[in-house]
Amino acid sequence: METAEIARRFLSFFEKNGHTVVPSASLIAEDPTLLLVPAGMVPFKPYFLGQRTPPFETATSVQKCIRTKDIEEVGKTSRHATFFQMLGNFSFGAYFKEQAIPLAWELVTTPVADGGFGIDPERLWVTVYLDDDEAAAIWRDKVGVRPERIQRMGMEENYWSMGVPGPCGPCSEIFYDRGPEYGVEGGPEADENRYIEIWNLVFMQYERGEGGDKSGFPILGDLPKKNIDTGLGLERLAAVLQGVDNIYETDIIGRVLHRAAELAGVRYGDDHGQDVLLRVVADHVRSAVMLVGDGVKPGNEKAGYVLRRILRRSIRNMRLLSGTDTAYMHDLTAVSIDAMKDIYPDLADKADVIHGVIDTEEAGFADTLRSGTTLFTRAAERTRHAGGTVFSGSDAFQLHDTYGFPIDLTLEMAAEQGLTVDETAFRELMQRQKDTAKADAKAKKLGNADVSLYAQLLEGAGATDFLGYTDVLSESAVRGIVVGGVSSPAAREGEKVEIVLDRTPFYAESGGQLADTGTLTVEGRAVVDVEDVQKPLPGLFVHRGTVRAGEIAVDDTVHAAIDTGRRHAIERSHSATHLIHSALRNALGPSAGQAGSENSPGRLRFDFTADNALGESRLSEVEEEVNTVLSGDIAVRTEEKTLDEALKMGALAMFGEKYGDRVRVVEMSDYSVELCGGTHVPSTARLGIVKLLGESSTGSGVRRVEALVGVDAFRRLSKESALVGRISEQLKSPREELPERIDSVVSRLRAAEKEIERLRAAQVLQAAGSIAERARRHGPALVVAEQAPEGAGGDELRALAADVRGRLGEAEPAVVALTAVPKDRPVVVIAVNKAAQKAGIKAGDLVGVAARALGGGGGGKPDIAQGGGTDASKVDEALRAVEARVAGA
């Protein structure tokens, strides 16, 4: 029975028994205490906790789940998987044990022809909690399970809670007997490898207090309502009903696994180590597809890190299996989407997005692996040569810091070479880097002063009066001076200084708008160049700069003057940001919310929430809309209102901003209305033009557009026009015909490159005859072991090895070992004839010998196999190792 049919039957059975079918919730958990959904009951948790009133008394679902707690065990056992689906039926006070138990038994044992799963009752055992006599009696008297098939277990196995105070209760589980070939008799308490759990029925009837996770907590009393929460693992049941050994061989996961084996040139079942790698790939690719389908993007935090980790494990395992750096994820992703779409049809609609995210991550990780693996190999060799078994924390940190190597990958690679990693030292270095980064950021924005010093300045001098909305000049009094992180009565020429004024026209960096620069002048005595302005505390403006001449002191009166050219350029960028935000919302809908911005002189960047790229055509539409609006010379009005008034009039609140009772509203007619504390142009015509430079991704669900404004935009367009003119002149083609002309040139170039590749391959194959003539006997076989002609890649190498093998015939055992170094990565191909295979010489064994010498791995079939490594200097050593192995065969 196919997996999709199992899910359909489950939902149909419970729907016929009065349950509401509820679609699977997203893998991204709404529960703030969870990262991803780890169990089928999670979407119903608010109903069980009484936080919400359920819209139905009973429900049934097929819930997508992700668990990464035991990720290291994935592939090693038949039970562990990162992504799985939990079939469940739920009751919110409508029924309890006396109905839940018979329903489960009925569905499991009803013949297939009658809509059930058709499992022989004689293959089933059940467990109940130690003192749950009620459940045991129902199984025995109402269902008819023989008493010897009912076993009692303790809290570790048969009692459920969320691990925190709240609902809890005993469980009853159904186990399937896989047969004597899987272990000893005696039921689940004797052997859980032979007897596997397929269904867990939780009787949620008590409230627990503080205590341990699985046991050791007090029972505080009964719940107001007794609830049912059951979970049947879809993949486990599929393995049972499809008669396969484990979940990785079922119809859906198995399709990915066997395609991975085919792509890698290996066969599932031939080698345990390879089988584990294949199972990890199959599980992780499916998990990645489902995570991306639910909107997760690879990143370094939270769900994004989970996705990045499982994708990188998949990519690296495929490289180990195939011995090449070929990109396989696109193919495997397509297989997984096709296998899962019967249960989740939306995957087909999201296929382009899923492919785009996974392909991009694979390409990025390829660069990480290429550079990082070389460093890892050298460090590991250094450790072994020194007689050590611990990979240093400093080397692990360098891999992470310089090459982006995740610590999990370093741990795996070290374990493969029999090494451990000094994780304690690694964590200490990571923490030291974080502390340094925080200190650097603080120094950049606030000098080296302690925040308590700014608190004293604010208390003593009072809040700074900001005049910058209307004035660019002011006469101000110096209320405080900080030099070298401490308060000072004065600052002299050449010193870095921080100055607090009673009032200022200088805008302090906030809301994405960069700070003003300018000068503070003490008439006839001192000049300070203001390079930055920050607000370390609300209301306190700190002017950072350098004393250019003279001496400035507390209580001096200064002439404060901002750089008006810079201010006006920043204002143009800031106003353009508001227009771009509105145009994006018009194009994408209200979901395109601001996620950050930076407004600098003549240039801006704007981050917004979106799942997919805009595309060139939509980006052009946004740019055209913005320029159309600003050319209308719309007045930019600002007004102060209460927060409630501003929100009622439709003003947008910006990302990351905190608002008081009174807010500033910036209006550009009804096209753009936003809460904003920044400065702006008086009318949109002041912007001149806005040129969008492009759009990119900055992380999970966040896109970024960058733009030039005013004169900067004009200069960019002028340069582009001149460049187009030069190309037009060189190609002797009118500007309007350039796209077709360039396409034609590129097409001819690609055709020429393909022809060159064809000729190079032919040239490589021409060497087959002379290579075969150089065969020499080593032990029982003729052996050719040498480097292929220059220009050979992996495909050419395989073809050449097969050709040489054919020329050596079948009269006696023959082995062909050829190497090449395309793109500075050594590759080895081993081909053996049938006579050699009969003599016990296998290509897969020999390629492992060569690949290990190269610092890598490989695999393949008995007649031909391929591997690779990272150390091109060891090519001759690898060939000699193959000769030695054959000689000793």
Side-chain angles (χ1 to χ4, degrees), residues 496-705:
K496 293 289 184 181
V497 65
E498 297 178 354
I499 297 174
V500 175
L501 304 176
D502 63 340
R503 58 182 192 159
T504 182
F506 284 82
Y507 184 85
E509 181 181 353
S510 63
Q513 180 172 331
L514 294 188
D516 286 327
T517 60
T519 59
L520 303 178
T521 305
V522 180
E523 190 66 37
R525 200 177 85 226
V527 178
V528 177
D529 292 323
V530 178
E531 298 148 4
D532 188 22
V533 186
Q534 296 294 323
K535 286 194 290 187
L537 296 172
L540 185 71
F541 285 59
V542 175
H543 305 72
R544 296 185 63 217
T546 304
V547 182
R548 188 203 309 169
E551 178 180 283
I552 187 170
V554 174
D555 294 330
D556 277 346
T557 297
V558 298
H559 177 74
I562 69 171
D563 180 340
T564 54
R566 173 186 167 86
R567 160 70 78 84
H568 294 328
I570 292 175
E571 288 176 338
R572 288 192 289 270
S573 296
H574 200 160
S575 297
T577 298
H578 284 221
L579 295 173
I580 290 171
H581 187 191
S582 290
L584 286 169
R585 288 171 63 87
N586 290 341
L588 303 177
S591 62
Q594 181 173 335
S597 67
E598 181 178 281
N599 306 300
S600 54
R603 189 182 186 99
L604 67 90
R605 69 169 186 246
F606 182 79
D607 298 346
F608 60 99
T609 52
D611 291 330
N612 305 312
L614 284 173
E616 281 190 27
S617 60
R618 186 169 283 180
L619 196 64
S620 295
E621 291 172 4
V622 168
E623 182 180 77
E624 182 176 349
E625 180 175 321
V626 169
N627 282 285
T628 300
V629 171
L630 65 86
S631 67
D633 194 17
I634 298 172
V636 179
R637 297 193 308 154
T638 60
E639 188 176 2
E640 199 173 87
K641 294 179 176 290
T642 66
L643 180 59
D644 286 342
E645 288 172 342
L647 296 177
K648 285 178 182 177
M649 67 182 287
L652 297 176
M654 295 298 98
F655 170 83
E657 289 292 318
K658 295 181 180 179
Y659 301 101
D661 294 333
R662 303 289 297 178
V663 295
R664 193 162 176 268
V665 181
V666 177
E667 295 181 76
M668 301 178 192
S669 70
D670 57 356
Y671 184 76
S672 171
V673 183
E674 296 188 11
L675 304 185
C676 181
T679 63
H680 289 271
V681 296
S683 71
T684 59
R686 295 288 184 94
L687 273 60
I689 54 176
V690 174
K691 173 61 182 172
L692 297 186
L693 301 178
E695 181 236 6
S696 61
S697 170
T698 66
S700 178
V702 178
R703 311 291 302 179
R704 170 176 292 173
V705 292

Side-chain angles (χ1 to χ4, degrees), residues 289-620:
V289 165
M290 301 307 296
L291 282 167
V292 178
D294 276 355
V296 180
K297 303 294 190 302
N300 294 324
E301 294 182 347
K302 300 182 180 179
Y305 178 71
V306 172
L307 174 58
R308 172 160 285 168
R309 185 181 180 194
I310 62 176
L311 270 176
R312 290 185 169 188
R313 280 167 61 93
S314 303
I315 295 164
R316 184 166 176 273
N317 281 4
M318 285 302 296
R319 288 179 170 227
L320 291 174
L321 287 162
S322 67
T324 71
D325 57 4
T326 305
Y328 292 118
M329 288 300 106
H330 191 90
D331 193 319
L332 296 175
T333 298
V335 173
S336 186
I337 290 173
D338 190 60
M340 294 290 289
K341 68 183 182 184
D342 287 343
I343 302 178
Y344 305 102
D346 62 312
L347 290 177
D349 298 331
K350 300 173 182 175
D352 289 344
V353 174
I354 296 171
H355 278 301
V357 171
I358 293 177
D359 290 351
T360 299
E361 181 67 11
E362 182 174 30
F365 189 45
D367 295 334
T368 295
L369 274 176
R370 191 174 298 113
S371 52
T373 301
T374 301
L375 177 63
F376 173 84
T377 302
R378 290 173 183 164
E381 287 179 353
R382 199 164 56 242
T383 301
R384 286 195 300 270
H385 288 162
T389 59
V390 179
F391 192 88
S392 77
S394 60
D395 284 332
F397 176 75
Q398 186 181 0
L399 277 167
H400 172 85
D401 192 48
T402 307
Y403 297 100
F405 246 47
I407 184 61
D408 304 292
L409 180 56
T410 303
L411 289 168
E412 284 187 20
M413 293 174 66
E416 289 166 4
Q417 299 204 22
L419 301 173
T420 59
V421 177
D422 187 347
E423 287 190 74
T424 301
F426 170 80
R427 304 291 177 196
E428 288 176 353
L429 288 167
M430 286 291 292
Q431 188 60 48
R432 190 181 306 168
Q433 184 191 55
K434 290 179 182 178
D435 294 342
T436 301
K438 288 180 180 178
D440 288 346
K442 184 178 179 181
K444 175 181 180 296
K445 296 298 182 186
L446 306 175
N448 298 309
D450 190 280
V451 174
S452 61
L453 174 59
Y454 297 117
Q456 293 171 13
L457 288 170
L458 182 60
E459 183 178 354
T464 307
D465 184 11
F466 177 59
L467 311 174
Y469 291 134
T470 56
D471 299 331
V472 296
L473 302 170
S474 75
E475 295 297 320
S476 307
V478 177
R479 294 299 187 219
I481 295 177
V482 177
V483 178
V486 297
S487 184
S488 175
R492 297 173 180 82
E493 183 174 331
E495 288 186 322
K496 293 289 184 181
V497 65
E498 297 178 354
I499 297 174
V500 175
L501 304 176
D502 63 340
R503 58 182 192 159
T504 182
F506 284 82
Y507 184 85
E509 181 181 353
S510 63
Q513 180 172 331
L514 294 188
D516 286 327
T517 60
T519 59
L520 303 178
T521 305
V522 180
E523 190 66 37
R525 200 177 85 226
V527 178
V528 177
D529 292 323
V530 178
E531 298 148 4
D532 188 22
V533 186
Q534 296 294 323
K535 286 194 290 187
L537 296 172
L540 185 71
F541 285 59
V542 175
H543 305 72
R544 296 185 63 217
T546 304
V547 182
R548 188 203 309 169
E551 178 180 283
I552 187 170
V554 174
D555 294 330
D556 277 346
T557 297
V558 298
H559 177 74
I562 69 171
D563 180 340
T564 54
R566 173 186 167 86
R567 160 70 78 84
H568 294 328
I570 292 175
E571 288 176 338
R572 288 192 289 270
S573 296
H574 200 160
S575 297
T577 298
H578 284 221
L579 295 173
I580 290 171
H581 187 191
S582 290
L584 286 169
R585 288 171 63 87
N586 290 341
L588 303 177
S591 62
Q594 181 173 335
S597 67
E598 181 178 281
N599 306 300
S600 54
R603 189 182 186 99
L604 67 90
R605 69 169 186 246
F606 182 79
D607 298 346
F608 60 99
T609 52
D611 291 330
N612 305 312
L614 284 173
E616 281 190 27
S617 60
R618 186 169 283 180
L619 196 64
S620 295

